[in-house]
Amino acid sequence: MHRTHLSLYYLVSYLTVAGLALFLAPGFALPLLLSNADYGDVLPRLAGMLLLGLAILVGQIVRLRIEALYATTLVVRLFFLVSFVFLFAISGDPFFLVVFGIVAVGVILTGVSYLRDRQAAGA
């Protein structure tokens, strides 16, 4: 599961960067992510806090090489992708499309890596 392990560094990276940006500077982060809505100051900071918490959990999965949870990171992100489409549909805020793209790149990276690692283990 070496490839999958490496792909999860992308996940930890964007969770950490986005979490810190939203928590510390939502006024800077939201326009950077093409948001056209006003979410106030508190809600983006809450989202940043949650992203940082996820970054810590996934970071531990990566650090401890808990391969049993690698597939779970894919399932959770697939749920997030569906949710981002729903949120875009009800809000029209392009922020959700940008975030969708960032997460989708990671899902593709981890998904391909996971399949290749599984094939290599079976061969």
Side-chain angles (χ1 to χ4, degrees):
M1 289 288 181
H2 180 68
R3 288 182 201 98
T4 306
H5 176 81
L6 290 176
S7 76
L8 292 175
Y9 283 100
Y10 174 75
L11 173 57
V12 173
S13 297
Y14 76 69
L15 286 172
T16 302
V17 170
L20 286 171
L22 287 170
F23 188 72
L24 299 175
F28 171 76
L30 288 171
L32 188 66
L33 294 168
L34 304 182
S35 177
N36 62 11
D38 179 20
Y39 296 104
D41 197 39
V42 176
L43 199 56
R45 290 181 193 274
L46 173 65
M49 178 195 72
L50 294 171
L51 289 176
L52 288 170
L54 283 174
I56 292 166
L57 289 172
V58 175
Q60 287 296 87
I61 291 170
V62 171
R63 185 179 75 83
L64 298 172
R65 295 181 180 265
I66 305 174
E67 293 180 4
L69 292 178
Y70 288 0
T72 303
T73 68
L74 281 168
V75 172
V76 169
R77 287 182 283 166
L78 288 172
F79 166 70
F80 287 169
L81 290 175
V82 171
S83 298
F84 294 140
V85 170
F86 173 74
L87 292 170
F88 174 73
I90 63 173
S91 72
D93 190 349
F95 166 82
F96 296 108
L97 294 180
V98 173
V99 175
F100 179 94
I102 294 167
V103 175
V105 167
V107 168
I108 292 166
L109 183 62
T110 303
V112 169
S113 298
Y114 186 78
L115 290 174
R116 285 188 163 176
D117 285 341
R118 296 280 303 218
Q119 289 172 345

